Amino acid sequence: MVKVVVLDVDGTLMDTNYLHTEAWARAFERAGHRVPRVRLHREVGKGAGLLIQEFVDDEETLEKIQGFHTEVYEELQEYGHPLPGAKELISSLKERGYGVWFVTSAKDEELEHHMQELEAEGSVDGVVNSSAVENPKPAPDIFEEALRRAGATADETVAVGDAVWDVEAAREAGIRTVAVLSGGAYDKGALEEAGAVAVYEDCAALLDSDFPE
Amino acid sequence: MVKVVVLDVDGTLMDTNYLHTEAWARAFERAGHRVPRVRLHREVGKGAGLLIQEFVDDEETLEKIQGFHTEVYEELQEYGHPLPGAKELISSLKERGYGVWFVTSAKDEELEHHMQELEAEGSVDGVVNSSAVENPKPAPDIFEEALRRAGATADETVAVGDAVWDVEAAREAGIRTVAVLSGGAYDKGALEEAGAVAVYEDCAALLDSDFPE
């Protein structure tokens, strides 16, 4: 029986993957590396260091790019809002008695913005962000930490995410994942291939189904 | 035998689909309509009026949104640069004696920026933009007009585009289309289903093949 739902944030609850893609594009450009946005888009949701390493391998440039991304994203953040059904999904899960957890690669400042926009304070049992674990997504650490804190087994838990990184990380932790297309970088086929047990357009469609049962 | 190559610009030659997506998201938001970016992304490349009508049906709001998009895109335009292989594809086609035409829903001001970034002045035989025809993509008008101006038959022509709108419009005009994934909104399956004869990652990969033969 499902007791706990673990939700990814960027691209799943918040319409922010495109803003991160744009911030990464400008950050790489500023460091003298031009990377097509479509390629960056597919990497969003991974830990930042892992994302940069897909394109640049020297440590000094990596740190520069990470700093530029933070700066640009800070400017763009205000344009990010909840995706359809995100707020309703959170409150419905809470009302129905599920434990609700966020797992995210977002920074603390970003999370504050997300929590406000999602009006999630009081409905969310806890947040595990990548700073709390050794390895960010697609490593399973962040999901394993959520299980530990929620006091639930993998069998009692379902995850929701939009990127193959979410599906892979949750799968490694033994958790089934339902995927949404609202992050924009992955289609149904790719998410199923990564291991998603079902794929919906967005949280609104997910809520219309009998999720999480 | 192929004599003429007709190229879409946004998402095919220029890394601008994400910028248009962002400009549309902010334009809809300003007019009081929140539309998820993934849905806007899939509509980019259509005529602007058609894109807006997917989400809003009153004429006054439509015009407001169109105006807001123009304003926001003007700010974002500077972040748009050529995609991998775009410049090289244009100059290689020209050197090998093909007629090179652009067909685009981009406005004149945008086109000026594209031409500069692509260093395409002198290599491109002509540009047909949607203002020159009655119906924008996905209607075939713009491709039919390109054939007329280039003095080529559909059989002597190949198109390159990134969106199903390009593939459908060219197909209606009887022109075969090779698709690229660099616009980010469509995967191989969707482009093939629309009628693309082949799909490549980007213009660089296309150029590495024996395109257009």
Side-chain angles (χ1 to χ4, degrees):
Chain A
M1 214 189 80
V2 178
K3 291 183 184 169
V4 168
V5 178
V6 179
L7 302 162
D8 166 61
V9 181
D10 288 291
T12 300
L13 300 173
M14 293 289 292
D15 196 5
T16 45
N17 277 10
Y18 284 78
L19 298 172
H20 277 294
T21 299
E22 187 55 29
W24 285 119
R26 295 191 204 169
F28 275 92
E29 179 86 29
R30 238 202 260 178
H33 293 266
R34 189 173 286 171
V35 183
R37 285 170 177 78
V38 62
R39 296 200 54 200
L40 296 165
H41 191 191
R42 292 183 198 142
E43 302 296 330
V44 167
K46 265 186 184 174
L50 293 177
L51 181 152
I52 302 170
Q53 280 168 42
E54 287 289 325
F55 309 103
V56 165
D57 57 11
D58 100 90
E59 189 62 32
E60 202 184 324
T61 313
L62 186 148
E63 277 173 27
K64 255 194 219 165
I65 293 171
Q66 195 149 6
F68 291 156
H69 171 265
T70 304
E71 270 178 54
V72 180
Y73 187 76
E74 230 172 71
E75 280 171 43
L76 298 179
Q77 171 169 277
E78 62 166 310
Y79 300 107
H81 303 294
L83 284 158
K87 286 197 274 190
E88 295 78 2
L89 178 66
I90 295 167
S91 57
S92 165
L93 289 169
K94 189 67 196 168
E95 274 167 36
R96 288 182 285 150
Y98 295 101
V100 180
W101 288 76
F102 288 179
V103 291
T104 177
S105 301
K107 294 196 182 64
D108 289 344
E109 315 83 77
E110 297 171 30
L111 255 170
E112 211 175 298
H113 180 260
H114 295 329
M115 294 298 282
Q116 277 176 14
E117 284 276 334
L118 291 164
E119 301 164 12
E121 208 72 62
S123 299
V124 174
D125 294 281
V127 177
V128 186
N129 86 4
S130 41
S131 61
V133 294
E134 196 171 343
N135 304 299
K137 297 178 199 169
D141 303 28
I142 200 164
F143 284 95
E144 287 164 354
E145 180 65 15
L147 290 184
R148 208 181 56 76
R149 293 199 201 170
T153 66
D155 283 348
E156 295 166 336
T157 304
V158 169
V160 183
D162 69 294
V164 297
W165 321 121
D166 300 312
V167 183
E168 288 172 9
R171 193 191 60 205
E172 283 294 305
I175 302 171
R176 285 171 304 138
T177 304
V178 172
V180 286
L181 298 168
S182 47
Y186 294 96
D187 66 340
K188 195 166 179 285
L191 291 161
E192 285 173 348
E193 204 177 309
V197 296
V199 181
Y200 292 90
E201 177 70 20
D202 51 25
C203 287
L206 187 61
L207 191 55
D208 282 343
S209 77
D210 59 352
F211 181 81
E213 293 309 329
Chain B
M1 214 190 82
V2 179
K3 292 183 182 168
V4 168
V5 178
V6 179
L7 303 162
D8 166 62
V9 181
D10 289 291
T12 300
L13 300 173
M14 293 288 293
D15 195 6
T16 45
N17 278 10
Y18 285 79
L19 299 172
H20 277 294
T21 299
E22 187 55 27
W24 286 119
R26 294 192 204 169
F28 274 92
E29 179 87 29
R30 237 203 259 180
H33 294 265
R34 191 173 286 170
V35 183
R37 285 169 176 80
V38 61
R39 297 200 54 200
L40 296 166
H41 191 190
R42 293 183 197 143
E43 302 296 330
V44 167
K46 265 186 184 174
L50 292 177
L51 181 153
I52 301 170
Q53 280 168 44
E54 287 289 324
F55 308 103
V56 166
D57 56 11
D58 100 271
E59 189 62 33
E60 203 185 322
T61 312
L62 186 148
E63 277 173 28
K64 253 193 221 166
I65 294 171
Q66 194 148 7
F68 290 157
H69 170 266
T70 303
E71 271 178 54
V72 181
Y73 188 76
E74 231 173 68
E75 280 172 44
L76 298 179
Q77 171 171 278
E78 64 167 307
Y79 300 107
H81 302 293
L83 285 158
K87 287 197 275 191
E88 295 77 3
L89 177 66
I90 294 167
S91 57
S92 164
L93 289 170
K94 188 69 196 169
E95 274 168 36
R96 288 181 285 150
Y98 294 102
V100 180
W101 288 76
F102 287 177
V103 292
T104 176
S105 302
K107 294 197 183 63
D108 289 343
E109 314 83 78
E110 297 171 30
L111 254 169
E112 212 175 296
H113 180 260
H114 294 328
M115 294 297 283
Q116 277 176 13
E117 285 275 335
L118 291 165
E119 300 165 15
E121 210 71 62
S123 298
V124 174
D125 294 280
V127 177
V128 186
N129 86 3
S130 42
S131 61
V133 293
E134 196 171 343
N135 304 300
K137 297 177 199 167
D141 304 28
I142 201 165
F143 284 95
E144 287 165 355
E145 181 65 16
L147 290 183
R148 208 181 56 75
R149 294 197 199 170
T153 65
D155 283 349
E156 294 166 339
T157 304
V158 169
V160 184
D162 70 294
V164 297
W165 322 121
D166 300 312
V167 182
E168 289 173 9
R171 191 190 62 203
E172 284 292 305
I175 302 171
R176 285 172 304 138
T177 304
V178 171
V180 286
L181 298 168
S182 47
Y186 294 97
D187 66 337
K188 195 165 178 283
L191 292 161
E192 285 173 347
E193 203 178 310
V197 297
V199 181
Y200 293 89
E201 177 70 20
D202 52 25
C203 287
L206 188 62
L207 190 56
D208 282 343
S209 76
D210 59 352
F211 181 82
E213 292 311 328

